[in-house]
């Protein structure tokens, strides 16, 4: 097991009807900004319910944070934070609203140019004059943003990952019932995203992190078990609750500490979203099966472990077991309704150079846990993914 530091400061309120906790967490007398997305949280009545528990505080709203949150939109929210002298932000939504809010919490009073945070992937030392504290009410179990220190921001036609301990929410309310209004497609996306997060942390090379491996395999198997039900039965509490805790656990640090991490599937996927508008999870479903195939030598031992322990594949030669595990992974995504070929999203081989150019511009030329996934290998992966 590799050395690691671990500290996850986010307080989780999980289960049915936990909104009262928001009232306890947001200081009395605070000037609060509720941030939300395109309106689902308004239509469901959730924002009204939150306003009730925030009674007595001065409450403002900023709506319109789009999927794959755009820098320009977030800068408008940051302006509102300054104008209204906001001292607490409450993000109500999925990963995009939460990620956007994380950025706003730091950008609002940033001493330097906030676009530098995005470009550098973190705020510069000494430039965060003041951070506005924030909490979240999650409506879409997928990204793990509700319990992690990352945010993904869209800026000038690409997606940038920003990581800082400042991005752990103070608290997150995880009531699976708040996701019952999701379209099936977003539920399926959530299962795929959480699945691939675990894979990024697990499917590398063995370092003797036996407990991380077992937890990872447990989360993967739980997603395989509950995913189809969660998609087919929108109000099945048991399925959705398990999906929601899987998604939060995936990036909480429990699985990712003390192990090598890959993230190449995500980096390539982000560029597919930026260039062609695939949903985040759709981009991952396209890249991952080919990634496993092309990187089968680097990942040989873990691929065999994955085949045997996650899918129960014990028959055949090593390469046959790996082939079968890759096929199972693809079938699983497809069974949820998430297509696993670029052609399924109308993307053709002649459009791929723009993706490679975008990755190169961001310096994404030495990806993966071994830093030897070059742009040439990415080209092969994308070509095979069509
Ligand atoms: O905007 P509204 O109207 O709320 O609609 C949203 C949006 O259209 C809808 N939705 C959310 N909750 C709903 C609902 N509709 C009905 N009922 C509800 N309860 O779902 C749509 C998608 O929402 P979005 O927040 O974009 O989805 P997701 O949670 O999948 O977040 C994706 C973003 O997170 C980033 C992705 O790159 C992408 O930008 N990621 C963040 C990570 C992190 N912070 O650690 C890691 C991930 O790998 C990922 O990159
Ligand atoms: Zn993801």
């Amino acid at each position: 097991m590799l050395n690691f530091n671990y500290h996850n400061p986010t307080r989780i309120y999980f289960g049915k009807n936990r909104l009262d906790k928001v009232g306890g967490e947001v200081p009395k007398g605070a000037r609060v900004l509720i941030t939300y997305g395109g309106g689902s949280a308004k239509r469901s009545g959730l924002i009204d319910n939150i306003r009730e528990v925030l009674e007595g505080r001065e409450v403002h709203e900023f709506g319109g944070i789009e999927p794959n949150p755009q820098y320009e939109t977030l800068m408008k929210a940051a302006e509102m934070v300054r104008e209204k002298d906001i001292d607490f932000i409450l993000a109500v939504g999925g990963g995009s609203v939460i990620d956007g809010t994380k950025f706003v919490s730091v950008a609002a009073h940033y001493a330097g140019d906030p676009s530098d945070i995005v470009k550098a992937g973190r705020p510069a030392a000494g430039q965060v004059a003041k951070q506005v504290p924030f909490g979240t009410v999650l409506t879409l179990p997928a990204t793990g943003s509700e319990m992690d220190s990352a945010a993904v921001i869209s800026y000038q036609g690409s997606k940038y990952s920003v990581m800082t301990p400042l991005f752990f929410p103070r608290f997150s309310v995880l009531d699976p019932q708040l996701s019952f209004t999701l379209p099936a497609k977003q539920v399926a996306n959530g299962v795929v995203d959480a699945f691939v997060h675990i894979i990024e942390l697990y499917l590398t090379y063995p370092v003797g992190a036996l407990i991380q491996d077992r937890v990872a395999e447990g989360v993967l198997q739980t997603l395989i078990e509950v995913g189809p039900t969660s998609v087919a039965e929108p109000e099945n509490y048991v399925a959705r609750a398990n999906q929601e805790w899987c998604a939060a656990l995936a990036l909480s640090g429990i699985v990712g500490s003390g192990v090598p991490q890959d993230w190449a599937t995500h980096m390539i996927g982000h560029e597919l979203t930026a260039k062609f508008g695939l949903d985040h999870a759709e981009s991952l479903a396209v890249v991952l099966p080919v990634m496993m195939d092309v990187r089968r030598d680097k990942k040989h031992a873990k691929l065999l472990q994955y085949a045997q322990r996650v899918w129960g594949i014990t028959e055949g030669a090593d390469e046959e077991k790996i082939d079968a595990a890759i096929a199972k992974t693809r079938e699983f995504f497809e069974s949820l309704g998430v297509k696993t070929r670029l052609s399924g999203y109308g993307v053709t081989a002649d459009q791929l150079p723009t993706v490679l150019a975008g990755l190169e511009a961001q310096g994404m030329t030495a990806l993966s846990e071994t830093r030897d996934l070059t742009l040439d290998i990415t080209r092969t992966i994308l070509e095979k993914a069509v």
Side-chain angles (χ1 to χ4, degrees):
M1 197 184 299
L2 309 179
N3 290 0
F4 64 89
N5 301 335
Y6 176 73
H7 176 64
N8 189 318
T10 302
R11 197 176 290 274
I12 297 293
Y13 297 109
F14 193 101
K16 294 181 181 175
N17 311 324
R18 307 307 305 277
L19 276 189
D20 56 316
K21 294 295 176 191
V22 174
E25 286 283 350
V26 177
K28 303 260 180 281
R31 278 179 301 277
V32 184
L33 182 66
I34 297 177
T35 49
Y36 63 95
S40 72
K42 276 268 179 199
R43 288 190 294 278
S44 66
L46 176 57
I47 303 259
D48 287 340
N49 295 341
I50 290 173
R51 276 184 165 274
E52 261 173 48
V53 298
L54 288 176
E55 215 188 336
R57 285 106 171 152
E58 183 182 317
V59 178
H60 299 272
E61 293 181 13
F62 183 91
I65 298 180
E66 56 281 270
N68 310 301
Q70 294 291 331
Y71 178 81
E72 290 73 20
T73 308
L74 304 175
M75 291 310 289
K76 286 184 195 145
E79 199 181 311
M80 190 161 175
V81 167
R82 286 192 301 272
E83 254 175 30
K84 305 287 183 196
D85 199 12
I86 296 296
D87 37 38
F88 202 96
I89 315 179
L90 188 64
V92 181
S96 295
V97 172
I98 298 176
D99 282 9
T101 300
K102 290 177 172 187
F103 179 72
V104 170
S105 78
V106 165
H109 300 287
Y110 196 63
D113 178 346
S115 72
D116 291 342
I117 303 173
V118 176
K119 286 180 267 184
R122 61 178 181 281
Q127 300 289 294
V128 184
K130 170 174 135 191
Q131 181 183 20
V132 184
F134 70 95
T136 88
V137 176
L138 182 70
T139 65
L140 197 179
T143 63
S145 187
E146 64 276 13
M147 200 181 172
D148 78 13
S149 59
V152 183
I153 308 298
S154 297
Y155 176 71
Q156 295 190 343
S158 282
K159 289 182 75 171
Y160 291 82
S161 302
V162 183
M163 302 273 298
T164 164
L166 299 173
F167 281 178
F168 282 112
R170 284 278 175 99
F171 68 89
S172 287
V173 171
L174 274 57
D175 178 349
Q177 299 172 122
L178 299 179
S179 70
F180 284 177
T181 50
L182 279 169
K185 177 186 169 180
Q186 294 298 346
V187 179
N189 279 349
V191 175
V192 171
D193 194 20
F195 192 94
V196 181
H197 290 160
I198 294 286
I199 291 285
E200 300 277 23
L201 309 173
Y202 166 78
L203 202 67
T204 57
Y205 53 87
V207 291
L210 308 186
I211 176 64
Q212 287 92 327
D213 280 4
R214 293 286 184 187
V215 176
E217 289 152 1
V219 176
L220 293 174
Q221 286 186 314
T222 305
L223 288 167
I224 293 164
E225 187 176 343
V226 303
T229 311
S230 192
V231 174
E233 300 173 22
E235 302 204 1
N236 186 316
Y237 184 82
V238 172
R240 192 62 56 75
N242 281 282
Q243 176 183 345
E244 189 143 328
W245 191 227
C246 280
L249 277 183
L251 294 186
S252 66
I254 296 284
V255 177
S257 298
V259 296
Q261 303 194 2
D262 182 343
W263 295 108
T265 297
H266 267 72
M267 294 306 114
I268 299 170
H270 283 168
E271 208 54 30
L272 290 173
T273 296
K275 297 297 184 279
F276 308 127
L278 277 72
D279 288 350
H280 173 60
E282 292 172 341
S283 75
L284 305 176
V286 162
V287 177
L288 181 68
V290 186
M291 180 70 73
M292 288 173 162
D293 185 22
V294 169
R295 302 288 277 177
R296 63 169 65 219
D297 292 341
K298 297 277 169 192
K299 296 180 181 291
H300 186 82
K302 277 308 208 42
L303 272 169
L304 283 175
Q305 184 177 323
Y306 170 69
Q308 183 178 338
R309 290 202 198 164
V310 176
W311 293 108
I313 298 163
T314 51
E315 303 289 310
D318 284 1
E319 295 309 317
E320 287 166 349
K321 289 181 192 163
I322 290 172
D323 284 338
I326 296 170
K328 285 276 187 196
T329 308
R330 192 183 285 283
E331 273 165 33
F332 176 54
F333 295 163
E334 294 274 353
S335 77
L336 299 171
V338 183
K339 292 187 283 252
T340 60
R341 295 278 176 201
L342 277 172
S343 50
Y345 302 97
V347 177
T348 50
D350 57 314
Q351 293 175 286
L352 298 179
T354 162
V355 179
L356 294 163
L359 287 167
E360 190 167 20
Q362 283 189 65
M364 299 280 178
T365 52
L367 297 173
S368 90
E369 67 275 18
T370 43
R371 299 277 164 260
D372 61 351
L373 198 154
T374 60
L375 221 45
D376 276 344
I377 303 173
T378 299
R379 182 179 296 109
T380 305
I381 289 169
L382 288 170
E383 283 167 1
K384 283 176 177 263
V386 176

